[in-house]
Amino acid sequence: MEVIQAQDGGEGLELAKSENPDLVLLDLMMPRVDGWTAAQGLMEDEGTRRIPFLFLTARATAADRRRAEELGALGYILKPFDPVRLPPLVADVVARCARGEAEELRRERPSALWPPNLEDP
């Protein structure tokens, strides 16, 4: 697995456009351009709208999770997360997307990608 890291959401958008990654992991709280804005930018750009993305965040509210779903995220992984379990999880999402299963994955909302029982603040 090759990882390309951006310092903020703006740089992440530029890298997504130039590198066309198999998947984008977005934090919500980034400098300059936050994760919400970066996700919206991915979806609005013809060159990046097909790139699947997951949020990786400490924001654990039901409202944030709903917003992630509305933006088209394939998952909403909460921090702290198990760094040993993340690579296989990401590899599985990439493989399923490569097989054309992104919409199916979005509908399934597996618990490994979507935390249950979040409460509104």
Side-chain angles (χ1 to χ4, degrees):
M1 187 177 302
E2 181 181 343
V3 176
I4 302 167
Q5 185 174 345
Q7 297 300 313
D8 60 52
E11 182 182 351
L13 283 171
E14 292 305 314
L15 284 170
K17 291 176 187 178
S18 65
E19 300 295 324
N20 194 31
D22 295 322
L23 179 92
V24 173
L25 283 174
L26 290 169
D27 195 343
L28 288 178
M29 297 177 283
M30 295 185 287
R32 203 165 65 94
V33 177
D34 66 17
W36 299 125
T37 305
Q40 189 67 42
L42 288 171
M43 297 304 290
E44 290 174 353
D45 188 283
E46 182 63 35
T48 59
R49 77 171 39 130
R50 288 174 194 73
I51 299 172
F53 63 95
L54 303 171
F55 286 107
L56 186 65
T57 183
R59 294 184 56 154
T61 70
D64 287 329
R65 178 190 158 138
R66 280 191 302 274
R67 187 171 178 191
E69 290 176 38
E70 291 167 2
L71 283 170
L74 291 180
Y76 193 83
I77 301 167
L78 293 177
K79 295 177 182 178
F81 60 90
D82 183 346
V84 174
R85 295 185 68 209
L86 186 62
L89 182 63
V90 167
D92 182 59
V93 171
V94 168
R96 289 194 64 185
C97 290
R99 292 191 305 264
E101 299 174 13
E103 286 306 313
E104 182 179 335
L105 186 59
R106 198 171 276 119
R107 282 190 305 274
E108 287 174 8
R109 300 221 191 300
S111 62
L113 294 173
W114 293 96
N117 304 324
L118 295 180
E119 295 182 17
D120 284 315

